[in-house]
Amino acid sequence: MQDMDVRIVELEPMRVAFARAVSSSPEKDAWATLEAWAEKKGLLDDPGKLKVFGFNNPKPFPGKSDYGYEMWIELQEEFEPEGDIGIKDFEGGLYASTTCDDLKKVGKMWKKLWDWCQASEYKWRKHFELEHLDNPKKPKDELIVDLYLPIK
């Protein structure tokens, strides 16, 4: 995969606030819930400061328009669960990562990263495949997403 830059990274453990939605547009719905909460708490005053991740939960199934998506925002201070917002600890771990600068190509980039993993010395680790948004306040057509495939 010469046209794809793959980095091996260790994500550190972190505490996150999260929202999950199941719909035909769960990314948008989960982000709207998390964004409203995070704005009230001042967590988006500096949008690039805190890490924001998302992942399918549950994954899409052929023939079904609804699927789930969970969004996280890193926390650097203590918060309690509130309404549709949960709080949990992410244990971190080893990941193969690449960058996608076009949301229309995210699916293709995931396939390429998976194929890279299959051909590499690494093996897939059963965990969530994460998508890190560089700045969730950007318009969709300017968003850069780092893909994180769990490996061992």
Side-chain angles (χ1 to χ4, degrees), residues 19-33 55-58 66-71 84:
R20 190 172 77 85
V22 175
S23 69
S24 59
S25 58
E27 296 90 346
K28 178 182 162 193
D29 298 339
W31 176 243
T33 300
F55 58 96
N56 290 333
N57 182 16
D66 286 359
Y67 62 99
Y69 201 79
E70 187 170 313
M71 295 286 304
D84 292 331

Side-chain angles (χ1 to χ4, degrees), residues 59-67:
K59 294 183 180 208
F61 287 97
K64 292 188 87 178
S65 62
D66 286 359
Y67 62 99

Side-chain angles (χ1 to χ4, degrees), residues 25-86:
S25 58
E27 296 90 346
K28 178 182 162 193
D29 298 339
W31 176 243
T33 300
L34 188 59
E35 180 182 32
W37 178 86
E39 286 280 1
K40 283 191 248 175
K41 304 295 184 192
L43 297 176
L44 297 176
D45 292 348
D46 183 0
K49 180 181 176 189
L50 299 175
K51 294 180 180 112
V52 175
F53 290 95
F55 58 96
N56 290 333
N57 182 16
K59 294 183 180 208
F61 287 97
K64 292 188 87 178
S65 62
D66 286 359
Y67 62 99
Y69 201 79
E70 187 170 313
M71 295 286 304
W72 295 351
I73 188 166
E74 175 186 28
L75 298 175
Q76 295 179 338
E77 53 190 281
E78 287 300 315
F79 290 97
E80 294 296 321
E82 183 179 326
D84 292 331
I85 302 298

Side-chain angles (χ1 to χ4, degrees), residues 91-105:
E91 67 276 4
L94 192 63
Y95 289 80
S97 180
T98 194
T99 300
C100 182
D101 60 5
D102 182 349
L103 287 182
K104 294 176 188 153
K105 296 180 181 176

Side-chain angles (χ1 to χ4, degrees), residues 3-4 11 13 18 22 28 30 42-44 55 76-78 97 99 104 108 113 118 123 125 130 133 135-136 145 148:
D3 60 338
M4 184 175 65
L11 290 179
F18 69 94
V22 175
K28 178 182 162 193
L43 297 176
L44 297 176
F55 58 96
Q76 295 179 338
E77 53 190 281
E78 287 300 315
S97 180
T99 300
K104 294 176 188 153
K108 288 181 185 178
L113 188 57
Q118 298 303 303
K123 300 296 173 224
R125 176 173 51 90
L130 299 171
L133 289 67
N135 179 343
V145 179
Y148 287 87

Side-chain angles (χ1 to χ4, degrees), residues 88-141:
K88 65 181 167 183
D89 293 309
F90 166 63
E91 67 276 4
L94 192 63
Y95 289 80
S97 180
T98 194
T99 300
C100 182
D101 60 5
D102 182 349
L103 287 182
K104 294 176 188 153
K105 296 180 181 176
V106 166
K108 288 181 185 178
M109 290 301 290
W110 271 120
K111 170 117 175 57
K112 288 171 95 172
L113 188 57
W114 176 258
D115 290 346
W116 174 91
C117 181
Q118 298 303 303
S120 78
E121 64 193 74
Y122 298 96
K123 300 296 173 224
W124 176 72
R125 176 173 51 90
K126 188 176 172 123
H127 199 273
F128 303 115
E129 293 86 14
L130 299 171
E131 298 172 342
H132 173 253
L133 289 67
D134 71 323
N135 179 343
K137 301 289 276 179
K138 281 184 179 178
K140 279 178 79 171
D141 61 341

